[in-house]
Amino acid sequence: MLYLVGLGLADETDITVKGLEVVKRAERVYLEAYTSILLVSKEKLEAFYGRPVIEADRELVETGSDEILAGADKANIAFLVVGDPFGATTHTDLVLRAREMGIESKVIPNASIMSGIGCTGLQLYNFGQTVSMVFFTENWKPSSYYDRVKENVQLGLHTLVLLDIKVKEQSYENMARGRRIFEPPRYMTVAQCASQMLETEEERKEGVFGPDSLAVGAARVGGPDQKLVVGTLKELSEVDMGPPLHSLVLLGRKAHDLERDYIREFAVDKATFDASWKKGYGATS
Amino acid sequence: MLYLVGLGLADETDITVKGLEVVKRAERVYLEAYTSILLVSKEKLEAFYGRPVIEADRELVETGSDEILAGADKANIAFLVVGDPFGATTHTDLVLRAREMGIESKVIPNASIMSGIGCTGLQLYNFGQTVSMVFFTENWKPSSYYDRVKENVQLGLHTLVLLDIKVKEQSYENMARGRRIFEPPRYMTVAQCASQMLETEEERKEGVFGPDSLAVGAARVGGPDQKLVVGTLKELSEVDMGPPLHSLVLLGRKAHDLERDYIREFAVDKATFDASWKKGYGATS
């Protein structure tokens, strides 16, 4: 049996009681370690589980899945995923491969950022499609996300923006020379995301959002030092929210009063918040 | 401190290790018991926690929140919510009330149906706004959900439909006479939901969906007997998916091949599935 076990969002104690039982019994335990991270180290997980954990990078999961699945027809293999196994990054391909090999699989759900973002007090009902923001480079500033945000904005809905993480990336030179030397991990911040959004708007000029648009920055959701900051994109582009992981929600025009009452507490500046709110939010649907 | 603790979706072992610690230490433990249910009884929870649990009905939460919060400035109070505390039903009003009273609160996230629905293999990125379906009566068949589904359909997105549950409802007569006698609980099935959707389409005639539209029925997500069934709305209106809770996803036109490969396994009839897919799905975005 292949068990896909969600680890939740913050630390080793966010695993469910059911998930922990699976990990303790499994023959091998893999940790998916390239699409998200917990706020604690692999060593801390190993100490908590009382057993070794094999780090599974993108290469292993995408091209070495048969190695992960080896023997899973007879023994239990646990594949740990930060958040929920079918949350922000789905692992359907691994399950499909298991299915082809006649191996059963079971999912142990857990909190995902896709629902954990409810901690902002914004109603999950009022979110449109989720988008991802990648690190812009000098020559590559993809703006396809902007079209999807536009669709949400036109409907007055909130947009969850998931921020890029770069783990085990190689420099162009090291890749070309076949050197397995990796760059230090990078995690996009709320400030970087807000700046890139404003950069896209500058370029596309369709008025989907602007410096006065309200957004919520969320850092380390579910952790002991979870932090929420509410402000205009201009304000958020200058905010320091501390260590990763960060996410951002662009507020939809149909946000209602209960949502306002909840998030106002976290405003960088209550005066600019009130002014921006009055100008563009709280429209009835 | 007020702790809002998510219980996850299925049984007593879906609580997180962190959540269980909070429950064991709290002075009083409430269970929100009117917007969703676990698949196990309150007694089973009490046995697992080794302590009594107070059932909190709508009345207590909405008008008696001060009773729940009493003493929470000094002691720890745990408020248990099926799924995630800020998932399908948010409990922001309780947190706001606590804030007014100078009481801190903390959320222990868990799986919510809003992300757990990823178990269908449909990518959460491709979902639009979530809607709720209430039980229709002879004279009350609200169709405001239809407008929101229409918005999702026009964008080619999936729609999660959350199904009504009726717990501790009074008959009109008992309510009028002030008798605290409650009707047996009712949980909407996938078949009822699909039928009501077709009824709305019959009435509104805007072609948002029809008998051939593909949808996924999900029952007891996260439970040992989780069941997924894929079919046209016509097929699903006749399907028996067993005990509650049920949810339904109306498939968006932009569903892609990996999603198709995953869900086809659960088709009521692979021939009608392939025919419906070919007619209307897999459009590139």
Side-chain angles (χ1 to χ4, degrees), chain B residues 53-200:
Chain B
V53 168
I54 307 161
E55 215 167 80
D57 59 16
R58 189 185 295 275
E59 214 179 311
L60 181 62
V61 177
E62 291 183 358
T63 67
S65 60
D66 288 6
E67 188 183 326
I68 296 174
L69 295 171
D73 49 337
K74 296 194 196 75
N76 291 332
I77 306 298
F79 183 77
L80 313 186
V81 180
V82 174
D84 183 87
F86 280 7
T89 308
T90 65
H91 289 283
T92 44
D93 38 1
L94 189 61
V95 175
L96 281 172
R97 181 69 188 130
R99 220 189 255 171
E100 277 168 28
M101 295 167 73
I103 295 165
E104 261 195 283
S105 42
K106 250 199 186 126
V107 173
I108 315 282
N110 207 322
S112 159
I113 188 63
M114 310 287 274
S115 55
I117 198 64
C119 73
T120 53
L122 300 175
Q123 304 231 347
L124 296 180
Y125 282 88
N126 299 334
F127 280 72
Q129 52 201 317
T130 299
V131 303
S132 295
M133 177 70 80
V134 300
F135 281 111
F136 286 1
T137 65
E138 184 96 33
N139 306 308
W140 192 63
K141 301 177 196 289
S143 68
S144 60
Y145 80 91
Y146 184 85
D147 300 305
R148 301 205 295 288
V149 174
K150 187 178 177 178
E151 293 172 340
N152 291 342
V153 165
Q154 284 172 340
L155 297 173
L157 301 171
H158 308 313
T159 305
L160 170 61
V161 187
L162 299 176
L163 310 190
D164 205 2
I165 80 171
K166 293 275 188 207
V167 184
K168 280 188 98 175
E169 294 287 317
Q170 287 174 285
S171 69
Y172 187 75
E173 204 194 326
N174 283 329
M175 206 186 305
R177 290 170 186 250
R179 291 192 293 227
R180 291 182 57 79
I181 298 173
F182 301 103
E183 303 299 303
R186 288 192 299 153
Y187 306 96
M188 189 181 290
T189 64
V190 162
Q192 287 170 320
C193 175
S195 298
Q196 291 194 174
M197 286 174 74
L198 292 175
E199 212 181 321
T200 306

Side-chain angles (χ1 to χ4, degrees), chain A residues 206-217:
Chain A
E206 298 173 38
V208 170
F209 42 75
D212 292 338
S213 299
L214 288 173
V216 184

Side-chain angles (χ1 to χ4, degrees), chain A residues 11 13-18 86 88 90 99 114-115 118-119 124-125 127 129 132 151 155 157 262 265, chain B residues 11 13-18 86 88 99 114-115 118-119 123-125 127 129-130 132 151 155 157 262 265:
Chain A
D11 64 36
T13 63
D14 284 321
I15 194 169
T16 65
V17 172
K18 188 183 283 173
F86 281 7
T90 65
R99 218 189 256 171
M114 311 287 274
S115 56
C119 72
L124 295 181
Y125 281 90
F127 280 73
Q129 52 202 318
S132 296
E151 294 172 339
L155 297 173
L157 301 171
Y262 198 87
E265 173 94 357
Chain B
D11 64 38
T13 63
D14 284 321
I15 194 169
T16 64
V17 173
K18 187 182 282 173
F86 280 7
R99 220 189 255 171
M114 310 287 274
S115 55
C119 73
Q123 304 231 347
L124 296 180
Y125 282 88
F127 280 72
Q129 52 201 317
T130 299
S132 295
E151 293 172 340
L155 297 173
L157 301 171
Y262 198 87
E265 173 94 356

Side-chain angles (χ1 to χ4, degrees), chain A residues 170-281:
Chain A
Q170 287 172 285
S171 70
Y172 186 75
E173 202 194 326
N174 283 328
M175 206 185 305
R177 292 172 185 250
R179 290 194 293 230
R180 291 181 59 79
I181 299 173
F182 302 103
E183 302 299 304
R186 289 191 300 152
Y187 306 97
M188 189 182 290
T189 64
V190 161
Q192 287 170 318
C193 176
S195 299
Q196 291 194 176
M197 287 174 74
L198 292 175
E199 211 181 323
T200 306
E201 180 57 53
E202 276 287 291
E203 190 203 306
R204 298 279 298 261
K205 294 191 173 55
E206 298 173 38
V208 170
F209 42 75
D212 292 338
S213 299
L214 288 173
V216 184
R220 301 173 300 286
V221 167
D225 59 344
Q226 171 179 304
K227 191 176 165 79
L228 300 176
V229 173
V230 174
T232 63
L233 284 178
K234 181 77 182 59
E235 286 169 339
L236 291 188
S237 72
E238 287 154 13
V239 85
D240 176 7
M241 299 199 55
L245 295 177
H246 294 187
S247 309
L248 182 144
V249 180
L250 183 71
L251 206 68
R253 167 180 51 80
K254 284 199 281 193
H256 55 64
D257 292 353
L258 188 62
E259 293 177 297
R260 180 201 55 204
D261 293 349
Y262 198 87
I263 62 176
R264 188 173 181 274
E265 173 94 357
F266 309 110
V268 174
D269 177 331
K270 291 197 169 64
T272 58
F273 175 83
D274 291 341
S276 290
W277 178 277
K278 212 171 153 187
K279 234 166 36 184
Y281 300 86

Side-chain angles (χ1 to χ4, degrees), chain A residues 70-128:
Chain A
D73 49 336
K74 297 195 194 75
N76 292 331
I77 307 298
F79 184 78
L80 313 186
V81 180
V82 174
D84 183 85
F86 281 7
T89 308
T90 65
H91 290 283
T92 44
D93 37 1
L94 188 61
V95 176
L96 280 172
R97 180 68 190 131
R99 218 189 256 171
E100 278 169 25
M101 294 168 73
I103 295 165
E104 262 193 284
S105 44
K106 251 198 185 127
V107 173
I108 314 283
N110 208 323
S112 161
I113 189 62
M114 311 287 274
S115 56
I117 197 66
C119 72
T120 52
L122 300 175
Q123 304 231 348
L124 295 181
Y125 281 90
N126 299 334
F127 280 73

